[in-house]
Every structure is written in structure tokens, then in C-alpha cells.
Amino acid sequence: MRDRAAIVGVGYTPFTKDSGVSTLALALQAISAACADAGLTVADLDGVSTHRVGDSVQAAVVAQALGMHDPRFVSDQFGGGSMSHTTVAQAAMAVATGVAETVVCWRAINSRSEFRMGGTGRPPPDVVEFQYQVPYGYATPPQQFAVMARAYLERFGLGREALGQVAVRQRQSASTNERAVMRTPFTMDDYLGARWIVEPLCLLDCCLETDGAVALVVTSAERARDLPHVPALVSGAVWGGGHTLFSNHRGDLTTTAAADSSRRLWSMAGVGPDDVDVACLYDAFTPLVLVQLEDYGFCGKGEAAGFYADTSMPINPHGGHLSEGYVHGLNHVAAAVGALRAGAEVALSTGQPGYVAGSTSAVVLKADR
Amino acid sequence: MIPGIDRDSRPWWEALSRHELVHQRCDDCGRWRWPPRAMCGECGSFAWSWQPVTGDGVVVSHIRTHHSFLPGIEAPYSTVFVALAEQDDVVLPGFWRGDSEPAIGQAVRAVFVDQEGGESLLGWR
Ligand SMILES: [Zn+2]
């Protein structure tokens, strides 16, 4: 399916701490904006694709609200950031196979005001492993990724500055992004002085919890050429899985499922890490950026802190989940599309690399100029 | 109260409350399995039995939680993640019951931590 489908429209709602509206309203706003951006209307859509963890409106309800009487493709996947990029991958598959012509992908969440991932006031998602974790007071994402951070820093003899450089640079990037929720730069000293959340992660290692939605319109590469923006061809799209912290398949705590799935991704896309102009790497927490640079093949295992310090490749130029906002991966795809429109040729965008959820997803996009 | 106990896991929890640490082991290929489930992912066998493990293991990571995410558990507290001596990809979380802070690579042994409802949880020291 390489280069058969393209992202032609991107839509955002504002990113806030309290949207004041339903996830259905957020979804409809972002989808309408994405259609307008693509030079299309919602009447041109014939498929819908989203993901959620019991925290957002069902895909079929959105299809109905959009006025779609007979959607040709409805994908409504269970999962958080790990599944984010499958929304695009499945839309591209539907278009490439002719099941649908134009599919809209979105993620709509009130993750600050209604459904915090930390689980304030709602039962945890239906995940079998939780019973072995929650009784120990171990239930939240910052704890899960602190497990990785500790193992990673110790294994490679790194100090907290290895993580801090990611937090500092992404905030710097966000300072010029008017969409970003957090735009005030901070220094490494500020980072090192920030309060602990879960050692070894401090407040500035953790993403923001955000209310907002992002939508992306996917159509055929052929049709994309007649639309206003430079098409972002879906060159590669991948799923992976099997590695969770308690999966009984894990070799070590510093490698993710992406170490396996990335090989298929590059092969499918026909490019490699050296060809990438911009990387939008899932960054719910800082250690994920370093581990993915290794697992996606930009550098060897244990080398990411030095690679990050030296590289000129933009990594999360929008500020990422740490500073732009946390829309669970799809604001990364949107940022990648933006970079391609602005002149980049090849972009990588990734979901949570399968450390805790047992699955991962990613896409490689190419500008069709 | 332990949330989410299911038909696969109930015997594991019941054994733990009797202060027995047991795990599923494949009767055909001998692989230890975690968490509990009906089939061996290694060889496809549905034949398995609950077998005792020593409770010996090695710390593979540890965290210290400074924010009270859950009611009833006051921060700060440490949580450890232990790979069993029998098979190092069986990783169990637990309370830390050692005298000093845990360290990766430290050899530890399981202890049973009784809860008010009659259940037991795992601690490591
Ligand atoms: Zn077996």
C-alpha cells in the first residue's frame, strides 16, 4: 500500500484545560476543520477511524452526527497512544483497497477536565494486567514509564540530564507554536529542581493532560493531487506488539515493541532512518523519545542521549505532548504533515512504542511534490 | 479489595492468600507463564499446572511515587519489579520491604503482605 493514500487535510480544536464541550462536539469541530483544510466538505467523507479507551465518543455516533447515512468504513479501536497511528494506517488501507474513498481519522479527548489517564474518578480501563498492579498503588502512566526510565538510566550510566535535554528542547520548540499549551522556556536547572512525580521522573518529564481534538483526512494519492495542499503520502504504516512490562515476552526493560515493528515500517516505506527530515516521536514521558531513537534505528542501543544532543534533525518541533498538548499521538501526525507542507520530504510519526499497552503503531509520510 | 480478578487469575490470587506463591507452568514445554492464561504462547499447549516457585528473584527496576494517585496508599512509597529466579521474563511488582532503598540487580525474596479483606499481596526484601 506504499504511497497509495495521502493525508490531505488537518484540523484542530484549541488545546485547553477545560473545553467545556463533549468529546462528540470536539470531534465534529476538528473533522469540519480538517475537511475545510483539505478543500472538501463532510459530504465527501465515506469512512471514519478513531481510537479510544472508554474516554470518548464512538466512531459510529460521530459518523451519524456527520450525516453519513451509509459509511463504507468504520474503525473504532480500543487503545490509547499505542493505537493512535493505526487510525491513519487503517484509513490508508481502506483507501488503498477501494473499500472507501475518503476517510477521516480523529482523536477527541477531554483528558484534563473529564477523563484523566491517571484515573481520577473513573474505573481503570478494561486491561487484564491491572489487577496485578493497582493493589500496589501502581496504576498510572508516570509510574509505568518511571520503571523504564530507571532501568534505562542505570543500564547506560546516564544522569537525569539525558532526559532533561528532551524536556528543555521541546519547550523551546513550543515557545513559537501558538497552539501549544505550555510556551514558557525553562533551563536545565529548572528541570533538575522540579518536583518529583515518580522517581526518576519529575514534573517536567511528564506530558500535559489536555482537552482537544485533532482530525486528519485521508484519500487516494490520485485524488490528493487535485487538492490544495502538498499531499502527505502514507508510505509506510505498521502495527507491532507483544511486549508489555508483564507480558512474559520481554527481554529487557529498555527496549520496546518498536524495535521489531520498525524494521517492517522502513521496509514498507522504502526509506530508512537516514532519510528522515523530521521525527515526531510519542512523548508522553521524556524517556520514550530516547528509547524510540534507538528502536527506530536512528542510533544504537544506549546511544540516544548523545545522538539527541548532536543531531540537527527536528524532533517534535511542535513541542510534542510535553509542551504542545496531549492528543494521544494524532497531534504528532498533524505536526508531521505540517512539516512536509513546509518543505520536508520524509517524516516519521510514532505512537506509544508498546511498552505498557502491548501494541504500537507508526507511519512514515512523504511529501508528494 | 483487588479489582478485576478473572477466571484465569483467581487460583493465583487464592494461593497467594494462603501464602503460596505459585505460577502456571506448561506441562509440555516447561515454560513458566505470566500472567495466568489458558494456552502456552510458546508451544500452543493447553496442558498446564500450578507449580510453586521459590520466591527468589532479582530487582529489575524500582520507582518511588511522590504523588498519591490512589486513595488509601500514602505517598511517598517505593514499588519494585522483580524477575523470578525460575525464569527472568516473569516480572512481578510488589511493595518494597527492604531495610534500605532497592537497587537494580539486588537479589530479593518474596514476603506475603496481608490485607484487611483477607487477601495477601506480595512484598519483596
Ligand atoms: Zn508450552
Side-chain angles (χ1 to χ4, degrees):
Chain A
M1 74 182 220
R2 182 196 297 174
D3 298 344
R4 300 273 297 277
I7 299 171
V8 295
V10 176
Y12 294 91
T13 68
F15 296 168
T16 67
K17 290 182 175 177
D18 186 356
S19 70
V21 300
S22 66
T23 55
L24 173 57
L26 288 175
L28 295 171
Q29 289 167 14
I31 290 167
S32 295
C35 289
D37 180 61
L40 300 170
T41 71
V42 292
D44 293 306
L45 302 174
D46 62 359
V48 293
S49 179
T50 193
H51 72 101
R52 56 202 173 92
V53 260
D55 57 3
S56 191
V57 61
Q58 300 95 312
V61 169
V62 173
Q64 186 186 44
L66 289 169
M68 296 170 72
H69 298 294
D70 183 22
R72 293 164 63 181
F73 181 73
V74 178
S75 175
D76 196 353
Q77 299 200 76
F78 178 85
S82 57
M83 297 304 280
S84 54
H85 289 56
T86 67
T87 60
V88 177
Q90 295 207 348
M93 283 170 61
V95 168
T97 54
V99 167
E101 280 184 11
T102 304
V103 179
V104 67
C105 314
W106 75 90
R107 176 72 165 128
I109 41 176
N110 282 323
S111 73
R112 176 77 187 190
S113 66
E114 280 194 297
F115 302 102
R116 298 186 72 163
M117 290 303 281
T120 47
R122 65 161 177 148
D126 180 19
V127 177
V128 166
E129 293 179 355
F130 272 28
Q131 63 186 295
Y132 309 109
Q133 304 172 19
V134 172
Y136 300 101
Y138 173 73
T140 62
Q143 295 174 306
Q144 292 161 339
F145 291 98
V147 174
M148 162 192 274
R150 177 86 73 188
Y152 185 83
L153 295 178
E154 281 213 18
R155 178 178 170 193
F156 299 112
L158 298 166
R160 292 180 58 217
E161 291 83 353
L163 306 178
Q165 64 177 339
V166 177
V168 169
R169 189 181 303 174
Q170 288 196 197
R171 180 61 59 82
Q172 188 63 44
S173 300
S175 67
T176 54
N177 174 2
E178 61 187 25
R179 188 177 296 113
V181 175
M182 301 296 275
R183 277 174 260 176
T184 308
F186 56 82
T187 65
M188 184 64 84
D189 282 344
D190 295 331
Y191 169 85
L192 294 171
R195 68 182 168 90
W196 291 121
I197 301 297
V198 183
E199 279 181 68
L201 299 181
C202 70
L203 180 68
L204 298 174
D205 287 305
C206 303
C207 69
L208 311 164
E209 291 176 294
T210 310
D211 286 10
V214 172
L216 304 154
V217 176
V218 175
T219 193
S220 68
E222 202 168 57
R223 189 171 190 203
R225 288 183 197 113
D226 298 330
L227 297 175
H229 293 290
V230 174
L233 295 169
V234 181
S235 297
V238 74
W239 287 258
H243 298 265
T244 80
L245 183 51
F246 302 106
S247 69
N248 210 189
H249 291 288
R250 172 170 290 288
D252 75 72
L253 297 180
T254 61
T255 301
T256 69
D260 295 324
S261 62
S262 64
R263 288 194 281 266
R264 298 195 300 278
L265 178 67
W266 297 128
S267 161
M268 184 175 183
V271 295
D274 291 345
D275 301 308
V276 172
D277 298 313
V278 56
C280 297
L281 304 177
Y282 194 88
D283 59 329
F285 302 93
T286 52
L288 286 171
V289 172
L290 299 185
V291 169
Q292 287 178 95
L293 286 171
E294 297 164 3
D295 292 352
Y296 279 94
F298 290 94
C299 59
K301 205 68 205 166
E303 296 172 4
F307 178 89
Y308 189 91
D310 295 339
T311 186
S312 59
M313 176 178 70
I315 299 169
N316 292 338
H318 54 322
H321 294 328
L322 296 173
S323 287
E324 185 187 60
Y326 181 60
V327 192
H328 245 166
L330 281 198
N331 54 320
H332 285 43
V333 184
V337 172
L340 296 181
R341 290 179 179 181
E345 295 297 328
V346 177
L348 169 69
S349 186
T350 70
Q352 196 262 101
Y355 188 70
V356 295
S359 56
T360 187
S361 55
V363 296
V364 170
L365 306 176
K366 279 184 215 150
D368 189 15
R369 288 200 169 80
Chain B
M1 174 63 193
I2 294 156
I5 295 179
D6 57 47
R7 292 180 177 191
D8 292 320
S9 67
R10 186 167 298 283
W12 187 86
W13 284 109
E14 288 174 350
L16 201 66
S17 291
R18 297 191 303 268
H19 289 197
E20 298 168 23
L21 184 56
V22 300
H23 274 276
Q24 281 181 315
R25 192 172 195 188
C26 177
D27 288 347
D28 284 304
C29 75
R31 189 165 166 77
W32 296 94
R33 197 183 314 167
W34 178 254
R37 55 196 66 172
M39 193 188 86
C40 177
E42 194 74 16
C43 76
S45 173
F46 280 80
W48 51 271
S49 45
W50 294 103
Q51 294 188 21
V53 294
T54 56
D56 293 328
V58 171
V59 174
V60 294
S61 193
H62 57 99
I63 59 174
R64 188 156 179 81
T65 300
H66 288 260
H67 182 87
S68 288
F69 294 105
L70 296 173
I73 301 183
E74 288 304 308
Y77 57 92
S78 293
T79 314
V80 291
F81 303 84
V82 175
L84 288 189
E86 281 78 5
Q87 188 174 293
D88 67 7
D89 64 357
V90 178
V91 175
L92 301 174
F95 298 117
W96 177 240
R97 288 291 183 265
D99 297 326
S100 53
E101 279 301 291
I104 291 177
Q106 184 177 352
V108 291
R109 172 161 282 191
V111 296
F112 299 95
V113 181
D114 293 335
Q115 304 295 294
E116 277 183 12
E119 298 112 339
S120 298
L121 295 171
L122 277 174
W124 299 92
R125 57 175 301 137

mmCIF file of all heavy atoms in Angstrom, chain A residues 249-290:
data_model
loop_
_atom_site.group_PDB
_atom_site.id
_atom_site.type_symbol
_atom_site.label_atom_id
_atom_site.label_comp_id
_atom_site.label_asym_id
_atom_site.label_seq_id
_atom_site.Cartn_x
_atom_site.Cartn_y
_atom_site.Cartn_z
ATOM 1 N N HIS A 249 7.107 -11.867 27.575
ATOM 2 C CA HIS A 249 7.857 -11.927 26.324
ATOM 3 C C HIS A 249 9.032 -10.958 26.337
ATOM 4 O O HIS A 249 9.764 -10.852 25.388
ATOM 5 C CB HIS A 249 6.972 -11.546 25.137
ATOM 6 C CG HIS A 249 5.921 -12.561 24.852
ATOM 7 N ND1 HIS A 249 6.199 -13.780 24.304
ATOM 8 C CD2 HIS A 249 4.595 -12.540 25.069
ATOM 9 C CE1 HIS A 249 5.082 -14.467 24.180
ATOM 10 N NE2 HIS A 249 4.097 -13.733 24.637
ATOM 11 N N ARG A 250 9.118 -10.176 27.411
ATOM 12 C CA ARG A 250 10.043 -9.058 27.422
ATOM 13 C C ARG A 250 11.456 -9.522 27.742
ATOM 14 O O ARG A 250 11.685 -10.205 28.723
ATOM 15 C CB ARG A 250 9.586 -8.047 28.465
ATOM 16 C CG ARG A 250 10.548 -6.930 28.729
ATOM 17 C CD ARG A 250 9.898 -5.886 29.582
ATOM 18 N NE ARG A 250 8.871 -5.188 28.831
ATOM 19 C CZ ARG A 250 9.134 -4.326 27.865
ATOM 20 N NH1 ARG A 250 10.372 -4.062 27.525
ATOM 21 N NH2 ARG A 250 8.168 -3.725 27.237
ATOM 22 N N GLY A 251 12.401 -9.116 26.892
ATOM 23 C CA GLY A 251 13.785 -9.451 27.152
ATOM 24 C C GLY A 251 14.424 -8.470 28.112
ATOM 25 O O GLY A 251 15.108 -8.850 29.050
ATOM 26 N N ASP A 252 14.197 -7.179 27.886
ATOM 27 C CA ASP A 252 14.732 -6.189 28.814
ATOM 28 C C ASP A 252 13.785 -5.003 28.880
ATOM 29 O O ASP A 252 12.912 -4.833 28.034
ATOM 30 C CB ASP A 252 16.156 -5.767 28.414
ATOM 31 C CG ASP A 252 16.164 -4.847 27.214
ATOM 32 O OD1 ASP A 252 15.755 -3.680 27.362
ATOM 33 O OD2 ASP A 252 16.578 -5.283 26.120
ATOM 34 N N LEU A 253 13.988 -4.171 29.875
ATOM 35 C CA LEU A 253 13.038 -3.088 30.134
ATOM 36 C C LEU A 253 13.378 -1.823 29.368
ATOM 37 O O LEU A 253 12.710 -0.819 29.512
ATOM 38 C CB LEU A 253 13.011 -2.772 31.636
ATOM 39 C CG LEU A 253 12.533 -3.900 32.539
ATOM 40 C CD1 LEU A 253 12.562 -3.454 33.995
ATOM 41 C CD2 LEU A 253 11.133 -4.335 32.162
ATOM 42 N N THR A 254 14.428 -1.856 28.562
ATOM 43 C CA THR A 254 14.864 -0.641 27.878
ATOM 44 C C THR A 254 14.632 -0.711 26.375
ATOM 45 O O THR A 254 15.075 0.144 25.630
ATOM 46 C CB THR A 254 16.359 -0.373 28.150
ATOM 47 O OG1 THR A 254 17.122 -1.470 27.640
ATOM 48 C CG2 THR A 254 16.623 -0.234 29.643
ATOM 49 N N THR A 255 13.950 -1.757 25.930
ATOM 50 C CA THR A 255 13.644 -1.929 24.512
ATOM 51 C C THR A 255 12.139 -2.090 24.361
ATOM 52 O O THR A 255 11.505 -2.743 25.178
ATOM 53 C CB THR A 255 14.365 -3.182 23.958
ATOM 54 O OG1 THR A 255 15.763 -3.013 24.149
ATOM 55 C CG2 THR A 255 14.088 -3.377 22.481
ATOM 56 N N THR A 256 11.588 -1.492 23.304
ATOM 57 C CA THR A 256 10.135 -1.536 23.121
ATOM 58 C C THR A 256 9.759 -2.400 21.908
ATOM 59 O O THR A 256 10.629 -2.815 21.124
ATOM 60 C CB THR A 256 9.578 -0.128 22.883
ATOM 61 O OG1 THR A 256 10.019 0.326 21.594
ATOM 62 C CG2 THR A 256 10.050 0.839 23.961
ATOM 63 N N ALA A 257 8.460 -2.594 21.744
ATOM 64 C CA ALA A 257 7.956 -3.353 20.602
ATOM 65 C C ALA A 257 8.380 -2.717 19.277
ATOM 66 O O ALA A 257 8.478 -3.395 18.251
ATOM 67 C CB ALA A 257 6.431 -3.450 20.667
ATOM 68 N N ALA A 258 8.651 -1.422 19.305
ATOM 69 C CA ALA A 258 9.039 -0.735 18.071
ATOM 70 C C ALA A 258 10.373 -1.238 17.520
ATOM 71 O O ALA A 258 10.657 -1.076 16.332
ATOM 72 C CB ALA A 258 9.104 0.778 18.313
ATOM 73 N N ALA A 259 11.192 -1.849 18.358
ATOM 74 C CA ALA A 259 12.464 -2.387 17.864
ATOM 75 C C ALA A 259 12.208 -3.451 16.797
ATOM 76 O O ALA A 259 13.002 -3.621 15.869
ATOM 77 C CB ALA A 259 13.283 -2.958 19.017
ATOM 78 N N ASP A 260 11.098 -4.170 16.930
ATOM 79 C CA ASP A 260 10.731 -5.169 15.915
ATOM 80 C C ASP A 260 9.913 -4.539 14.785
ATOM 81 O O ASP A 260 10.215 -4.721 13.614
ATOM 82 C CB ASP A 260 9.902 -6.288 16.558
ATOM 83 C CG ASP A 260 10.704 -7.081 17.568
ATOM 84 O OD1 ASP A 260 11.910 -7.282 17.338
ATOM 85 O OD2 ASP A 260 10.131 -7.484 18.585
ATOM 86 N N SER A 261 8.874 -3.794 15.151
ATOM 87 C CA SER A 261 7.954 -3.296 14.122
ATOM 88 C C SER A 261 8.622 -2.267 13.213
ATOM 89 O O SER A 261 8.236 -2.124 12.053
ATOM 90 C CB SER A 261 6.703 -2.705 14.769
ATOM 91 O OG SER A 261 7.027 -1.606 15.594
ATOM 92 N N SER A 262 9.628 -1.549 13.714
ATOM 93 C CA SER A 262 10.255 -0.505 12.889
ATOM 94 C C SER A 262 10.928 -1.094 11.659
ATOM 95 O O SER A 262 10.979 -0.460 10.603
ATOM 96 C CB SER A 262 11.249 0.299 13.718
ATOM 97 O OG SER A 262 12.323 -0.510 14.145
ATOM 98 N N ARG A 263 11.423 -2.309 11.765
ATOM 99 C CA ARG A 263 12.071 -2.919 10.591
ATOM 100 C C ARG A 263 11.068 -3.106 9.454
ATOM 101 O O ARG A 263 11.365 -2.864 8.284
ATOM 102 C CB ARG A 263 12.715 -4.253 10.983
ATOM 103 C CG ARG A 263 13.960 -4.077 11.839
ATOM 104 C CD ARG A 263 14.761 -5.371 11.912
ATOM 105 N NE ARG A 263 14.178 -6.310 12.858
ATOM 106 C CZ ARG A 263 14.567 -6.401 14.140
ATOM 107 N NH1 ARG A 263 15.519 -5.631 14.600
ATOM 108 N NH2 ARG A 263 14.012 -7.271 14.936
ATOM 109 N N ARG A 264 9.873 -3.531 9.821
ATOM 110 C CA ARG A 264 8.827 -3.672 8.806
ATOM 111 C C ARG A 264 8.412 -2.309 8.253
ATOM 112 O O ARG A 264 8.104 -2.165 7.071
ATOM 113 C CB ARG A 264 7.595 -4.370 9.402
ATOM 114 C CG ARG A 264 7.847 -5.770 9.888
ATOM 115 C CD ARG A 264 6.542 -6.534 10.125
ATOM 116 N NE ARG A 264 5.664 -5.925 11.110
ATOM 117 C CZ ARG A 264 5.786 -6.083 12.424
ATOM 118 N NH1 ARG A 264 6.749 -6.832 12.906
ATOM 119 N NH2 ARG A 264 4.942 -5.503 13.249
ATOM 120 N N LEU A 265 8.403 -1.325 9.139
ATOM 121 C CA LEU A 265 7.989 0.020 8.723
ATOM 122 C C LEU A 265 8.923 0.573 7.655
ATOM 123 O O LEU A 265 8.483 1.058 6.609
ATOM 124 C CB LEU A 265 7.966 0.950 9.932
ATOM 125 C CG LEU A 265 7.592 2.405 9.642
ATOM 126 C CD1 LEU A 265 6.137 2.501 9.193
ATOM 127 C CD2 LEU A 265 7.815 3.284 10.877
ATOM 128 N N TRP A 266 10.231 0.497 7.907
ATOM 129 C CA TRP A 266 11.196 1.046 6.935
ATOM 130 C C TRP A 266 11.144 0.264 5.623
ATOM 131 O O TRP A 266 11.249 0.841 4.536
ATOM 132 C CB TRP A 266 12.605 1.023 7.516
ATOM 133 C CG TRP A 266 12.801 1.871 8.739
ATOM 134 C CD1 TRP A 266 13.333 1.480 9.942
ATOM 135 C CD2 TRP A 266 12.478 3.268 8.901
ATOM 136 N NE1 TRP A 266 13.348 2.530 10.829
ATOM 137 C CE2 TRP A 266 12.837 3.639 10.217
ATOM 138 C CE3 TRP A 266 11.913 4.235 8.064
ATOM 139 C CZ2 TRP A 266 12.652 4.930 10.711
ATOM 140 C CZ3 TRP A 266 11.727 5.518 8.555
ATOM 141 C CH2 TRP A 266 12.102 5.852 9.860
ATOM 142 N N SER A 267 10.994 -1.029 5.741
ATOM 143 C CA SER A 267 10.939 -1.862 4.542
ATOM 144 C C SER A 267 9.715 -1.503 3.694
ATOM 145 O O SER A 267 9.800 -1.366 2.465
ATOM 146 C CB SER A 267 10.909 -3.331 4.986
ATOM 147 O OG SER A 267 10.441 -4.137 3.959
ATOM 148 N N MET A 268 8.600 -1.317 4.338
ATOM 149 C CA MET A 268 7.365 -0.970 3.632
ATOM 150 C C MET A 268 7.475 0.411 2.986
ATOM 151 O O MET A 268 7.019 0.615 1.850
ATOM 152 C CB MET A 268 6.210 -0.989 4.630
ATOM 153 C CG MET A 268 4.853 -0.740 4.056
ATOM 154 S SD MET A 268 3.667 -0.974 5.411
ATOM 155 C CE MET A 268 2.143 -0.743 4.522
ATOM 156 N N ALA A 269 8.087 1.338 3.707
ATOM 157 C CA ALA A 269 8.159 2.715 3.214
ATOM 158 C C ALA A 269 9.242 2.898 2.152
ATOM 159 O O ALA A 269 9.217 3.872 1.399
ATOM 160 C CB ALA A 269 8.413 3.672 4.377
ATOM 161 N N GLY A 270 10.193 1.975 2.099
ATOM 162 C CA GLY A 270 11.273 2.096 1.119
ATOM 163 C C GLY A 270 12.283 3.178 1.464
ATOM 164 O O GLY A 270 13.036 3.632 0.600
ATOM 165 N N VAL A 271 12.295 3.597 2.699
ATOM 166 C CA VAL A 271 13.301 4.549 3.184
ATOM 167 C C VAL A 271 13.800 4.054 4.539
ATOM 168 O O VAL A 271 13.299 3.074 5.080
ATOM 169 C CB VAL A 271 12.721 5.981 3.355
ATOM 170 C CG1 VAL A 271 12.302 6.565 2.014
ATOM 171 C CG2 VAL A 271 11.565 5.987 4.341
ATOM 172 N N GLY A 272 14.823 4.737 5.057
ATOM 173 C CA GLY A 272 15.348 4.365 6.363
ATOM 174 C C GLY A 272 15.517 5.590 7.237
ATOM 175 O O GLY A 272 15.225 6.720 6.808
ATOM 176 N N PRO A 273 15.994 5.381 8.453
ATOM 177 C CA PRO A 273 16.145 6.493 9.399
ATOM 178 C C PRO A 273 16.987 7.649 8.840
ATOM 179 O O PRO A 273 16.687 8.813 9.116
ATOM 180 C CB PRO A 273 16.852 5.850 10.601
ATOM 181 C CG PRO A 273 16.648 4.397 10.459
ATOM 182 C CD PRO A 273 16.385 4.091 9.030
ATOM 183 N N ASP A 274 17.988 7.328 8.015
ATOM 184 C CA ASP A 274 18.853 8.395 7.473
ATOM 185 C C ASP A 274 18.102 9.322 6.519
ATOM 186 O O ASP A 274 18.567 10.427 6.236
ATOM 187 C CB ASP A 274 20.054 7.790 6.728
ATOM 188 C CG ASP A 274 21.025 7.112 7.681
ATOM 189 O OD1 ASP A 274 20.911 7.353 8.908
ATOM 190 O OD2 ASP A 274 21.884 6.348 7.196
ATOM 191 N N ASP A 275 16.989 8.857 5.988
ATOM 192 C CA ASP A 275 16.214 9.672 5.041
ATOM 193 C C ASP A 275 15.234 10.622 5.728
ATOM 194 O O ASP A 275 14.610 11.451 5.066
ATOM 195 C CB ASP A 275 15.418 8.748 4.101
ATOM 196 C CG ASP A 275 16.321 7.816 3.325
ATOM 197 O OD1 ASP A 275 17.277 8.315 2.705
ATOM 198 O OD2 ASP A 275 16.096 6.593 3.361
ATOM 199 N N VAL A 276 15.074 10.464 7.033
ATOM 200 C CA VAL A 276 14.023 11.213 7.735
ATOM 201 C C VAL A 276 14.449 12.663 7.973
ATOM 202 O O VAL A 276 15.530 12.929 8.477
ATOM 203 C CB VAL A 276 13.687 10.524 9.082
ATOM 204 C CG1 VAL A 276 12.757 11.377 9.925
ATOM 205 C CG2 VAL A 276 13.056 9.159 8.816
ATOM 206 N N ASP A 277 13.582 13.593 7.588
ATOM 207 C CA ASP A 277 13.843 15.023 7.796
ATOM 208 C C ASP A 277 13.280 15.522 9.116
ATOM 209 O O ASP A 277 13.766 16.511 9.668
ATOM 210 C CB ASP A 277 13.202 15.843 6.666
ATOM 211 C CG ASP A 277 13.790 15.481 5.315
ATOM 212 O OD1 ASP A 277 15.019 15.411 5.207
ATOM 213 O OD2 ASP A 277 12.999 15.234 4.377
ATOM 214 N N VAL A 278 12.216 14.892 9.586
ATOM 215 C CA VAL A 278 11.603 15.320 10.845
ATOM 216 C C VAL A 278 10.969 14.101 11.513
ATOM 217 O O VAL A 278 10.366 13.266 10.839
ATOM 218 C CB VAL A 278 10.558 16.443 10.612
ATOM 219 C CG1 VAL A 278 9.490 16.005 9.625
ATOM 220 C CG2 VAL A 278 9.927 16.895 11.915
ATOM 221 N N ALA A 279 11.158 13.994 12.834
ATOM 222 C CA ALA A 279 10.615 12.859 13.580
ATOM 223 C C ALA A 279 9.698 13.366 14.678
ATOM 224 O O ALA A 279 10.103 14.191 15.504
ATOM 225 C CB ALA A 279 11.741 12.022 14.192
ATOM 226 N N CYS A 280 8.458 12.895 14.656
ATOM 227 C CA CYS A 280 7.509 13.211 15.716
ATOM 228 C C CYS A 280 7.333 11.928 16.528
ATOM 229 O O CYS A 280 6.671 10.989 16.081
ATOM 230 C CB CYS A 280 6.190 13.694 15.124
ATOM 231 S SG CYS A 280 6.386 15.227 14.186
ATOM 232 N N LEU A 281 7.990 11.882 17.665
ATOM 233 C CA LEU A 281 8.074 10.658 18.463
ATOM 234 C C LEU A 281 7.189 10.776 19.697
ATOM 235 O O LEU A 281 7.260 11.773 20.419
ATOM 236 C CB LEU A 281 9.531 10.412 18.897
ATOM 237 C CG LEU A 281 10.550 10.349 17.755
ATOM 238 C CD1 LEU A 281 11.964 10.165 18.322
ATOM 239 C CD2 LEU A 281 10.218 9.215 16.792
ATOM 240 N N TYR A 282 6.395 9.758 19.906
ATOM 241 C CA TYR A 282 5.436 9.761 21.017
ATOM 242 C C TYR A 282 6.161 10.043 22.322
ATOM 243 O O TYR A 282 7.098 9.334 22.703
ATOM 244 C CB TYR A 282 4.724 8.413 21.093
ATOM 245 C CG TYR A 282 3.506 8.431 21.975
ATOM 246 C CD1 TYR A 282 2.273 8.775 21.454
ATOM 247 C CD2 TYR A 282 3.593 8.106 23.315
ATOM 248 C CE1 TYR A 282 1.143 8.794 22.254
ATOM 249 C CE2 TYR A 282 2.467 8.125 24.121
ATOM 250 C CZ TYR A 282 1.245 8.480 23.581
ATOM 251 O OH TYR A 282 0.126 8.494 24.373
ATOM 252 N N ASP A 283 5.720 11.074 23.009
ATOM 253 C CA ASP A 283 6.474 11.563 24.168
ATOM 254 C C ASP A 283 5.570 11.838 25.352
ATOM 255 O O ASP A 283 5.601 12.924 25.914
ATOM 256 C CB ASP A 283 7.237 12.829 23.781
ATOM 257 C CG ASP A 283 6.277 13.931 23.302
ATOM 258 O OD1 ASP A 283 5.234 13.589 22.730
ATOM 259 O OD2 ASP A 283 6.556 15.113 23.538
ATOM 260 N N ALA A 284 4.802 10.848 25.742
ATOM 261 C CA ALA A 284 4.037 11.017 26.973
ATOM 262 C C ALA A 284 4.983 11.307 28.135
ATOM 263 O O ALA A 284 4.632 12.016 29.069
ATOM 264 C CB ALA A 284 3.215 9.768 27.252
ATOM 265 N N PHE A 285 6.212 10.748 28.033
ATOM 266 C CA PHE A 285 7.257 10.956 29.039
ATOM 267 C C PHE A 285 8.604 11.002 28.315
ATOM 268 O O PHE A 285 8.793 10.314 27.310
ATOM 269 C CB PHE A 285 7.229 9.837 30.092
ATOM 270 C CG PHE A 285 5.889 9.754 30.775
ATOM 271 C CD1 PHE A 285 4.909 8.891 30.307
ATOM 272 C CD2 PHE A 285 5.591 10.605 31.829
ATOM 273 C CE1 PHE A 285 3.642 8.867 30.886
ATOM 274 C CE2 PHE A 285 4.328 10.588 32.411
ATOM 275 C CZ PHE A 285 3.355 9.722 31.946
ATOM 276 N N THR A 286 9.530 11.787 28.847
ATOM 277 C CA THR A 286 10.803 12.011 28.143
ATOM 278 C C THR A 286 11.571 10.739 27.759
ATOM 279 O O THR A 286 12.152 10.717 26.663
ATOM 280 C CB THR A 286 11.737 12.918 28.968
ATOM 281 O OG1 THR A 286 11.849 12.368 30.291
ATOM 282 C CG2 THR A 286 11.210 14.345 29.042
ATOM 283 N N PRO A 287 11.631 9.694 28.599
ATOM 284 C CA PRO A 287 12.473 8.556 28.200
ATOM 285 C C PRO A 287 12.014 7.905 26.906
ATOM 286 O O PRO A 287 12.827 7.285 26.202
ATOM 287 C CB PRO A 287 12.365 7.588 29.391
ATOM 288 C CG PRO A 287 11.178 8.034 30.173
ATOM 289 C CD PRO A 287 11.078 9.510 29.960
ATOM 290 N N LEU A 288 10.736 8.069 26.548
ATOM 291 C CA LEU A 288 10.236 7.447 25.322
ATOM 292 C C LEU A 288 10.932 8.008 24.088
ATOM 293 O O LEU A 288 11.138 7.287 23.106
ATOM 294 C CB LEU A 288 8.725 7.658 25.207
ATOM 295 C CG LEU A 288 7.896 6.793 26.157
ATOM 296 C CD1 LEU A 288 6.444 7.228 26.142
ATOM 297 C CD2 LEU A 288 8.015 5.339 25.750
ATOM 298 N N VAL A 289 11.295 9.275 24.121
ATOM 299 C CA VAL A 289 11.957 9.870 22.957
ATOM 300 C C VAL A 289 13.311 9.205 22.733
ATOM 301 O O VAL A 289 13.656 8.807 21.610
ATOM 302 C CB VAL A 289 12.107 11.396 23.145
ATOM 303 C CG1 VAL A 289 12.957 11.993 22.030
ATOM 304 C CG2 VAL A 289 10.726 12.054 23.184
ATOM 305 N N LEU A 290 14.076 9.034 23.803
ATOM 306 C CA LEU A 290 15.400 8.425 23.660
ATOM 307 C C LEU A 290 15.285 6.972 23.208
ATOM 308 O O LEU A 290 15.985 6.536 22.278
ATOM 309 C CB LEU A 290 16.156 8.499 24.989
ATOM 310 C CG LEU A 290 16.413 9.909 25.530
ATOM 311 C CD1 LEU A 290 17.269 9.834 26.792
ATOM 312 C CD2 LEU A 290 17.084 10.798 24.487
#
